[in-house]
Amino acid sequence: MNIWEWIDKLTKGLQKLDSRIIVIESVLFDDKTTPDTPKPQHIGKIIDVSEWQGVIDWPSVIADDVTLSIIRVQHGSAHQDLKYMENLQQCISAGGKYAVYAYFAATSTSDAQQEARDFYNRTQKVVAGKQQPIFYAIDVESIEMSGDITQMRAGVEAYMSQLNTLGVPDNKIVLYIANHLYDKFNLNVARPGAIWIPSYGQNDGTLANSLKPTHPYDLHQYTSKGSVNGITGNVDMSAEPSERFKELIFSA
């Protein structure tokens, strides 16, 4: 073999070795992602609070892996939550994601419209010009409309339409519906952005010992006896967010 044949053979051998190194590197270091591949979003604890939780240490709450805090603003029009202003201000200041909710207690469609206006205006009184709520939730868990359950659908529709008029679209409205009254209420569940249903089971603070709702849901409130740093005593907790509920959280 002359010198030129030897150099040619050596060159081909090095080329083969180089191609094998590239294959090995791709196996060891390629994570199968590209810069455009979306990374999974972490969902931590989801809580809802009201005046019943007393004084809340919001920085501690947010630090305890709380992804979303749903804060009560009112019970009907008559009762403004005693802690809602403080809770909204301090949750925002602590850097937390938040939504708001109001208990539906309307006696007529016109009363439902007034409740919606109060809900929106009380919220905006605190947060206008600041971080807006991820959604407005209507808590529908008792027979209202002057005791006429057949009118509950009309009342909730009027409430939602009034929120629309105020600038809150349907996809930013969540309905919290009592599991045991879901069928009787006959609400238009196709309209809101998400459905949130309570179903507790043993109600011992764990998701494992809860019972899933018997109706389709986007969020399951599984206990009223949860525990979170920064809150003394029990707190309502929810889990199992659907993809569209996750989109509500992360699109904000």
Side-chain angles (χ1 to χ4, degrees):
M1 180 185 297
N2 61 40
I3 186 66
W4 300 112
E5 290 175 332
W6 182 85
I7 291 173
D8 182 65
K9 189 172 183 180
L10 177 62
T11 300
K12 290 178 180 177
L14 289 173
Q15 288 174 339
K16 288 181 181 179
L17 178 61
D18 184 61
S19 65
R20 289 172 182 170
I21 290 172
I22 291 171
V23 171
I24 292 169
E25 286 179 338
S26 69
V27 171
L28 292 176
F29 303 114
D30 185 9
D31 62 0
K32 307 302 181 187
T33 63
T34 68
D36 296 327
T37 302
K39 291 184 171 55
Q41 296 277 16
H42 171 69
I43 300 286
K45 300 170 185 174
I46 299 174
I47 64 172
D48 59 276
V49 300
S50 69
E51 63 192 53
W52 299 111
Q53 274 66 52
V55 177
I56 296 175
D57 178 353
W58 280 102
S60 294
V61 168
I62 304 306
D64 193 19
D65 194 30
V66 172
T67 294
L68 178 65
S69 302
I70 309 170
I71 298 170
R72 187 178 78 161
V73 171
Q74 64 187 38
H75 182 120
S77 286
H79 183 74
Q80 175 177 295
D81 191 280
L82 300 178
K83 292 289 184 181
Y84 97 88
M85 291 186 182
E86 177 182 325
N87 285 335
L88 287 176
Q89 290 167 344
Q90 294 189 15
C91 180
I92 293 171
S93 294
K97 285 182 177 286
Y98 79 97
V100 290
Y101 82 94
Y103 193 101
F104 180 90
T107 58
S108 64
T109 54
S110 60
D111 192 33
Q113 292 169 333
Q114 184 60 53
E115 283 192 11
R117 288 191 291 271
D118 289 338
F119 183 23
Y120 179 83
N121 290 333
R122 284 168 174 163
T123 300
Q124 291 304 313
K125 181 179 180 180
V126 181
V127 306
K130 300 178 183 178
Q131 175 189 348
Q132 288 292 303
I134 290 173
F135 57 77
Y136 288 74
I138 308 170
D139 182 347
V140 191
E141 57 177 298
S142 59
I143 302 171
E144 304 297 337
M145 298 298 286
S146 299
D148 187 351
I149 197 168
T150 65
Q151 291 301 306
M152 290 294 292
R153 183 182 179 112
V156 173
E157 289 281 300
Y159 199 120
M160 291 182 67
S161 293
Q162 184 61 61
L163 286 178
N164 294 163
T165 299
L166 294 165
V168 182
D170 284 344
N171 66 350
K172 295 290 185 180
I173 298 174
V174 169
L175 290 185
Y176 175 102
I177 308 173
N179 190 57
H180 67 292
L181 292 171
Y182 185 101
D183 290 326
K184 290 182 179 179
F185 284 156
N186 188 33
L187 303 182
N188 182 3
V189 295
R191 182 175 174 183
I195 301 298
W196 179 21
I197 300 181
S199 183
Y200 294 167
Q202 292 186 24
N203 196 19
D204 61 1
T206 69
L207 179 60
N209 289 328
S210 68
L211 291 176
K212 291 185 184 298
T214 55
H215 302 280
Y217 61 92
D218 296 288
L219 190 67
H220 172 198
Q221 187 187 77
Y222 65 90
T223 187
S224 62
K225 295 182 179 179
S227 177
V228 172
N229 291 343
I231 295 178
T232 301
N234 296 328
V235 63
D236 295 344
M237 300 190 76
S238 299
E240 302 179 306
S242 68
E243 288 305 312
R244 71 172 181 168
F245 195 89
K246 291 176 186 177
E247 191 173 330
L248 270 176
I249 294 175
F250 294 116
S251 65

